Amino acid sequence: MNTSSRARNRRRARFGCARRSPQRLGERVPGDDVVRGRGDDDVTGANKGIGKEIARQFAQAGLTVHVGSRDAERGRAAAEEIGGDARPLVLDVTDPASIAAAARRVGALDILVNNAGISDEAATPDQEDVEIFRRVYETNVFGVVAVTNAFLPALRRSARPRIVNVSSGTGSLTWATGPEFAHSGAHAAYRSSKSALNALTVFYAHALAGDGVKVNALAPGLRRTDLNATAAGSGGDPAEAATGAVRLALLADDAPSGGFFSWDGTPVPW
């Protein structure tokens, strides 16, 4: 590979990660709809939790990763800990000026992982303050639209652009009305915001299909993060969820778009 080719392959990985693999970057793995190896990824909310693990796995795969974080110092510390070609990127998904400044720093992009998200307390909709709904939706829904649209010019420069939206199984209306979850109506703001994110995943997949952009949503499962008290007390490994995001980030050209998948690759019902 000549110098210019290596340079192009380094371009692509802001806000994202890539799965650890003994295969060469860019090699198709038999029985797997994943292409190994890309250049630049972006992962929002990547200074902790699942986002940080996604960034770590991308870096371990040799990708350039932009570690999105609202706090510059935390982003710098996370990028330093992740190692490889991880680079801090100040990005507040609720701040238009911050989004625009971050997008200006990214020339070309292969993968965008919309991971940043917040939760509410375990309130039902009849007990929740409408301002809590607005705050949750500002990050989990409107922030995804703002960031995605800002980075689309960079993604369109990629030969294989991919967008991964980190959703939640609790956003599945099929599961919400079935036996999978208690019919309590709790965490209404968070869960409904993830249902909205699932809808946006479908709409973006349809709108961007002509540009070759694949857009999918991930249900990461309950993981040990500071999202809320339930997550903090769980035993779920964030790294396991991250492998699911990486899989969707590295999908081959003949793989699906506009889908909702669990961390293990199985489809999740809408």
Side-chain angles (χ1 to χ4, degrees):
M1 181 181 294
N2 60 34
T3 302
S4 61
S5 296
R6 283 196 298 270
R8 284 194 297 270
N9 284 343
R10 296 291 296 175
R11 286 189 310 172
R12 319 272 184 189
R14 326 267 187 239
F15 299 2
C17 308
R19 188 164 56 177
R20 291 181 290 266
S21 172
Q23 283 81 13
R24 295 186 302 275
L25 292 179
E27 182 177 358
R28 182 68 177 270
V29 179
D32 198 353
D33 61 344
V34 173
V35 171
R36 310 287 174 181
R38 313 285 287 288
D40 289 290
D41 310 319
D42 272 329
V43 184
T44 64
N47 63 296
K48 59 183 179 179
I50 295 172
K52 186 176 180 180
E53 290 302 323
I54 295 172
R56 189 191 311 277
Q57 292 182 30
F58 277 140
Q60 288 173 340
L63 304 181
T64 297
V65 186
H66 292 259
V67 179
S69 174
R70 290 180 300 172
D71 183 276
E73 179 55 30
R74 290 178 181 176
R76 185 203 61 76
E80 185 174 306
E81 180 185 338
I82 290 167
D85 198 9
R87 305 175 183 182
L89 182 68
V90 176
L91 176 58
D92 181 345
V93 303
T94 68
D95 182 349
S98 175
I99 294 170
R104 285 194 296 269
R105 292 186 56 189
V106 179
L109 184 64
D110 283 323
I111 302 162
L112 172 65
V113 180
N114 288 308
N115 169 76
I118 62 173
S119 184
D120 55 349
E121 300 299 327
T124 55
D126 57 311
Q127 299 293 323
E128 188 68 278
D129 190 319
V130 70
E131 290 304 321
I132 298 298
F133 272 87
R134 289 194 176 101
R135 182 173 65 86
V136 171
Y137 271 64
E138 192 66 45
T139 295
N140 297 3
V141 181
F142 307 145
V144 170
V145 174
V147 169
T148 300
N149 290 351
F151 282 90
L152 275 178
L155 283 164
R156 287 186 168 117
R157 297 186 183 101
S158 170
R160 290 194 179 106
R162 304 290 184 261
I163 298 173
V164 180
N165 294 327
V166 179
S167 182
S168 169
T170 66
S172 165
L173 297 180
T174 301
W175 283 357
T177 55
E180 286 78 9
F181 299 114
H183 293 185
S184 65
H187 289 292
Y190 174 76
R191 294 176 68 180
S192 64
S193 76
K194 293 303 184 178
S195 298
L197 177 60
N198 290 345
L200 282 173
T201 298
V202 173
F203 301 151
Y204 269 112
H206 292 170
L208 300 177
D211 294 327
V213 183
K214 291 191 180 297
V215 189
N216 289 288
L218 172 74
L222 185 61
R223 302 296 167 181
R224 188 178 57 253
T225 68
D226 64 359
L227 178 68
N228 54 41
T230 302
S234 74
D237 186 357
E240 188 174 55
T243 62
V246 170
R247 175 184 295 274
L248 293 176
L250 301 179
L251 286 177
D253 293 341
D254 58 353
S257 183
F260 188 18
F261 299 93
S262 181
W263 61 271
D264 61 0
T266 57
V268 176
W270 298 114

